[in-house]
Amino acid sequence: MIKNLKYNIYQQHCPARLFFEKIADKWVLLILNKLEQETQHFNLLKKSIQGISPKVLSQKLKMLERDGFIERKVQNTSPIRVDYSLTLLGLEVAKMAYQLKDWAEQNIEEIILAQQRFDEIQAEQTE
C-alpha cells in the first residue's frame, strides 16, 4: 500500500530537504556513529573523532540536540562533565549512518580505482 505523504523531498521548498543537508555532513555521521556505540562526554568524542575541532564539535552537537537526535546531560561532578547520548530518533538515524560507514569502508578501494581510471582517461583526452 502506498502512503500519501505530506512532504515530497523532490519539491523545492520541502522542509525534509534540510535533513539531507545536515545528515550529509561527515562530522554529523561520525558523531552519530560514536554515540551509537555508547554515551560519551565532549572530550572523549573529540579524541575519538580525529580532525574535528572543538568549535565544530560543539556546533554539530548543538545542531543534533536541537533537531532531537541527541540529548545532553550535565553531570554534577567536579569539574562539571556533559554527557551526550542518542535519543530514539537519533538511534534510528545512527543505524542508517552506520550502514553508510560500513559501505564506504568496504567500497572505498573500488571508488579510488574508478577515480584513477577516470583521471587517466581525462589526461589522455587533453594530450
Side-chain angles (χ1 to χ4, degrees), residues 67-126:
D67 289 346
F69 296 127
I70 65 172
E71 62 183 4
R72 177 181 184 272
K73 290 185 182 169
V74 178
Q75 302 298 328
N76 193 13
T77 58
S78 182
I80 292 178
R81 188 175 102 171
V82 179
D83 289 331
Y84 296 91
S85 60
L86 294 176
T87 62
L88 289 177
L89 186 64
L91 187 56
E92 287 182 48
V93 173
K95 286 180 182 183
M96 289 184 286
Y98 192 79
Q99 290 175 336
L100 285 171
K101 172 202 147 315
D102 275 354
W103 185 92
E105 289 173 346
Q106 292 170 11
N107 292 283
I108 191 61
E109 288 180 9
E110 189 173 336
I111 295 167
I112 291 169
L113 289 173
Q115 291 171 343
Q116 290 170 346
R117 285 192 301 270
F118 180 88
D119 293 345
E120 288 170 4
I121 292 168
Q122 292 297 304
E124 289 172 5
Q125 292 175 353
T126 58

